[in-house]
Amino acid sequence: LNFNLPGADGNYLVKYRSRDNVENLEVERSSQVFVDAAPPFSALNVIGGKQYPGAEPDSFYASLDSKFGFVAADSAVGGGASGVKTIESADNGGQYGAYSQPISLGEGKHAITYMATDRVENTEVIRSTQIYIDSTAPITSFNISEPLYIKDGVRYITPESALTFTATDPLTKEVSAGAERIETAVDGGQWTKY
C-alpha cells in the first residue's frame, strides 16, 4: 500500500500507527518529511580570458585562455531543499560527464549542454550555450596612396600620401570573432587606436 504526500514543496509531519485484528493499537509515531519536487538550477561560469557577445542569444566568443565551470543551487521552495547532487555537461553532443573542475576548450565551435540533479533525482531541463573559441590573431594590411616610389624595398612618399590600414580576422575552424581595432605606432612611439 502506497501513501503519497501532496505535490507541493514543503515540510510535512507524517503520523502513523497500526492496529491489529483484535484492536491492539500501536503507539503513535511521527516523522518529519520534506517534499522537494523542484529541480536545481545550474549556470555556466566563465573564468579568466576575454569574451565577446555572439550574434545569437546564449552565445559568445572567448579567448583560448578562458576556462569554463558550472555552478548550481537547489532552490529552497517551501522552506528547504535536498541539495545539488551532480552537475553534468557535454561538448558538441558528446557523452555527458560529471563536472568536477573548470575545463579548457580548443579553438572552434562548442555547443555546451549542462544540467544539475538534486539528491532526490529532480533534474533540471538541459541548458545550452554556444561558445566560439578564437585563438587566431587578425591580419592587418597596409596601403599607401600615390605619390609613392619603391626602391630596394624602401617606400618613398610625400606628406600628401595617405596611409590606410585594414584588418580582418580569419575564419579558423568555423570561428572568427572579428577585428576589434587597429593600432599604429611611429618610430617606437605609443600605440594608438587607428
Side-chain angles (χ1 to χ4, degrees):
L1 181 65
N2 288 329
F3 172 78
N4 293 345
L5 291 171
D9 283 11
N11 276 315
Y12 296 90
L13 178 63
V14 178
K15 295 180 179 182
Y16 54 96
R17 66 185 181 190
S18 61
R19 186 183 308 253
D20 68 15
N21 289 320
V22 291
E23 297 296 320
N24 293 312
L25 185 61
E26 176 183 17
V27 174
E28 178 182 286
R29 293 200 243 178
S30 66
S31 182
Q32 196 74 32
V33 178
F34 183 84
V35 173
D36 179 358
F41 175 86
S42 64
L44 178 70
N45 184 29
V46 182
I47 304 158
K50 301 285 184 204
Q51 294 79 42
Y52 181 78
E56 308 88 28
D58 294 321
S59 73
F60 62 92
Y61 292 90
S63 59
L64 190 62
D65 58 340
S66 301
K67 291 194 180 287
F68 305 93
F70 302 95
V71 293
D74 196 15
S75 53
V77 178
S82 62
V84 176
K85 178 181 174 185
T86 61
I87 303 171
E88 296 178 286
S89 68
D91 183 9
N92 290 328
Q95 183 79 19
Y96 275 90
Y99 169 72
S100 61
Q101 63 185 16
I103 59 172
S104 297
L105 300 170
E107 185 165 39
K109 293 167 59 173
H110 298 272
I112 303 297
T113 53
Y114 51 98
M115 63 187 164
T117 302
D118 67 17
R119 289 186 170 92
V120 292
E121 302 303 321
N122 293 313
T123 300
E124 73 175 318
V125 173
I126 294 173
R127 300 183 177 283
S128 65
T129 302
Q130 185 73 41
I131 303 172
Y132 304 100
I133 302 294
D134 186 351
S135 66
T136 303
I139 299 168
T140 306
S141 61
F142 170 64
N143 190 34
I144 302 173
S145 69
E146 298 289 335
L148 168 66
Y149 171 70
I150 301 173
K151 179 180 178 192
D152 299 328
V154 177
R155 296 179 173 113
Y156 297 89
I157 62 172
T158 69
E160 289 77 33
S161 301
L163 285 69
T164 56
F165 303 90
T166 307
T168 57
D169 193 21
L171 187 66
T172 305
K173 294 189 178 179
E174 301 181 74
V175 173
S176 171
E180 188 247 338
R181 69 176 176 260
I182 297 172
E183 298 175 339
T184 60
V186 177
D187 289 335
Q190 294 254 12
W191 287 98
T192 58
K193 188 173 178 181
Y194 172 67

